[in-house]
Amino acid sequence: MIHCIGREFLTRISMAKIFLRQSEEVIARDGSELVPLLHEGGIELLTVSRLMPIFVTDIGG
């Protein structure tokens, strides 16, 4: 589960890894960019910057 912009997005681990890798690259450049996230409800372009909190949790099972 990815928590960002006050919302929760259920996604596959592989899609979460891609989103996080791209987000880390944006943050490392101290930039701000729209990063795509493929999740169970479709696709979202999420604004990523150093100031935007992003949390990842495991929903377990």
Side-chain angles (χ1 to χ4, degrees):
M1 181 89 56
I2 303 254
H3 306 268
C4 183
I5 64 168
R7 295 177 54 197
E8 296 179 338
F9 302 94
L10 183 59
T11 187
R12 293 179 184 223
I13 292 173
S14 59
M15 294 297 107
K17 286 180 179 179
I18 292 168
F19 173 77
L20 292 174
R21 186 182 70 242
Q22 292 176 337
S23 296
E24 288 172 350
E25 291 172 2
V26 170
I27 292 167
R29 293 191 307 266
D30 200 24
S32 178
E33 194 172 307
L34 292 174
V35 177
L37 172 64
L38 182 61
H39 60 95
E40 71 171 0
I43 190 163
E44 300 283 334
L45 290 173
L46 302 176
T47 302
V48 171
S49 73
R50 183 176 55 84
L51 301 175
M52 178 60 66
I54 300 171
F55 301 96
V56 179
T57 58
D58 183 1
I59 59 171

